Amino acid sequence: MSEASNSNSLSGHNGDSGNTGNSGNGDSGTTGTTGGNTGTTTDTTSNDSTGTLVSGSSADTISTGKSKMIGKSVTAIKKIGLYKSATFSKKSRIVWYKKMPRGRQPQFVVIGTAHSKGGRLRYKVRDVNRNSKTYGLVGYITARKAYVQETYYESQARAKTKYTLKTKIKSGDFVLKKGKLTTKTITVINPKGINAYKTTKQTGKVTHYRQGQQLTVKRVVHYNLTTRFQLTNGKYITANKQWVKTGLVKMPKHVTVKQGANLYKDANLQKKAGHHYKAKTTLKVIGWDFSNNGTLRYRVAGGYITGNSVYVRRS
């Protein structure tokens, strides 16, 4: 087994599978044999507010209007398809986006909304993944929250862990607000870290926070169609979910090589850095990243090594 070629096999999800079917009313990308109700399309974009439907099925009707999602960034958290029309079918599918780790999840800007024949809400989007072959593509995706979420935090997320009033809360990680436990701590997860600024416009850089650093949030501030976190020290940082994550994110401090591992210059493990670590070698972990295929890598002194548990053990 080659550590460089090993990547996760990511299967699809039934909610947006794009298979042919016979209902047309669900959100599985099926071709229906029953038309259902004719949906209404709201297709107001940042460049064209005339309501012109650029691509879609003949059953889609046009309606001018304004959705609160227009102009916002959304992220695919599960496998989804991009389609030419709001009524999904195998024939109208443009491309699949497979499920990826948080830091590599595909992002889109919403430029309109529509409904399928069965009345399912869709987002008309533009692909904004600059380093991808799909960059700039326009089409329709599901609007189901189980598959697509807003890229930016809209509020301080509730803690997923169940706490009682008798639970000992350490280091102020959680605060009790209106009877609900809300996260107060966030962790920087972007491999290159993030910058902090004096203003919400992200002007006047004051400091840089590295990946893995934990910060304390005072409040969430809206700026145009995005949001920022204001820290307790008064500085502002991005609230992009691919750059920061609410709560504590634990990273291994060290890994021990189990079967030998090579050092690489890149997270895709394509360019060797000229060093091979023998079994039982312990390395200090500086950070983590993912390959273009979504495979975990550890950043160590001088480059990257595989994160595959077959080759290394967290310690």
Side-chain angles (χ1 to χ4, degrees):
M1 183 186 298
S2 170
E3 61 182 281
S5 62
N6 180 50
S7 62
N8 296 333
S9 176
L10 300 168
S11 59
H13 296 267
N14 294 332
D16 194 21
S17 64
N19 297 325
T20 56
N22 57 10
S23 67
N25 294 324
D27 195 45
S28 59
T30 57
T31 302
T33 57
T34 58
N37 297 326
T38 301
T40 301
T41 300
T42 302
D43 191 54
T44 306
T45 71
S46 57
N47 297 321
D48 183 8
S49 60
T50 63
T52 301
L53 189 63
V54 177
S55 60
S57 73
S58 59
D60 296 325
T61 57
I62 302 168
S63 173
T64 56
K66 187 75 174 178
S67 166
K68 66 178 182 180
M69 291 301 297
I70 303 296
K72 285 192 174 184
S73 175
V74 294
T75 300
I77 60 173
K78 292 183 180 180
K79 180 181 177 180
I80 67 168
L82 180 71
Y83 297 85
K84 295 179 182 178
S85 70
T87 300
F88 296 167
S89 68
K90 185 176 181 179
K91 184 177 180 180
S92 70
R93 187 170 62 239
I94 301 171
V95 68
W96 279 121
Y97 294 90
K98 70 177 184 178
K99 181 179 178 180
M100 294 290 281
R102 188 180 181 115
R104 293 280 185 169
Q105 291 169 343
Q107 294 185 355
F108 311 87
V109 169
V110 178
I111 59 176
T113 59
H115 287 83
S116 68
K117 292 179 181 179
R120 294 280 186 176
L121 176 64
R122 313 298 194 195
Y123 291 142
K124 183 179 182 183
V125 298
R126 181 184 297 110
D127 183 310
V128 292
N129 303 288
R130 291 185 178 276
N131 296 322
S132 171
K133 294 180 180 179
T134 59
Y135 177 69
L137 290 179
V138 174
Y140 295 88
I141 63 172
T142 178
R144 290 181 60 189
K145 292 183 179 180
Y147 294 87
V148 177
Q149 294 183 358
E150 291 188 37
T151 301
Y152 292 83
Y153 285 106
E154 290 296 310
S155 61
Q156 285 177 262
R158 290 182 60 186
K160 292 183 179 180
T161 306
K162 293 183 179 179
Y163 290 87
T164 66
L165 294 177
K166 295 182 179 179
T167 302
K168 184 178 181 181
I169 303 176
K170 299 179 180 179
S171 305
D173 294 339
F174 298 91
V175 294
L176 189 63
K177 184 178 181 180
K178 294 183 179 180
K180 299 178 181 179
L181 283 164
T182 305
T183 58
K184 186 178 179 181
T185 299
I186 61 171
T187 303
V188 178
I189 61 173
N190 182 38
K192 295 182 179 180
I194 62 172
N195 294 326
Y197 299 88
K198 293 180 180 179
T199 69
T200 56
K201 295 181 180 180
Q202 294 192 338
T203 57
K205 175 185 171 183
V206 288
T207 191
H208 179 82
Y209 296 114
R210 68 183 185 279
Q211 184 186 48
Q213 274 192 267
Q214 293 158 3
L215 310 171
T216 306
V217 174
K218 179 181 179 181
R219 61 174 179 154
V220 177
V221 180
H222 286 262
Y223 178 73
N224 293 332
L225 295 174
T226 65
T227 55
R228 317 289 194 213
F229 281 133
Q230 184 182 30
L231 306 179
T232 51
N233 59 14
K235 301 172 185 176
Y236 294 91
I237 62 170
T238 180
N240 190 318
K241 295 176 183 178
Q242 290 194 348
W243 293 48
V244 294
K245 186 175 182 179
T246 55
L248 305 177
V249 178
K250 293 185 178 180
M251 177 184 70
K253 295 182 179 179
H254 299 87
V255 292
T256 301
V257 178
K258 296 167 65 175
Q259 296 188 23
N262 292 321
L263 180 69
Y264 294 85
K265 296 180 181 180
D266 63 305
N268 289 315
L269 305 189
Q270 297 297 314
K271 301 176 182 178
K272 289 187 178 181
H275 192 85
H276 178 80
Y277 296 107
K278 296 181 180 180
K280 298 184 180 180
T281 302
T282 298
L283 303 171
K284 181 180 179 180
V285 176
I286 300 173
W288 70 92
D289 203 343
F290 296 91
S291 70
N292 290 340
N293 290 324
T295 307
L296 175 65
R297 313 299 191 197
Y298 289 125
R299 187 158 52 91
V300 298
Y304 298 85
I305 62 170
T306 178
N308 192 322
S309 59
V310 173
Y311 296 96
V312 296
R313 180 180 67 253
R314 297 165 59 125
S315 58

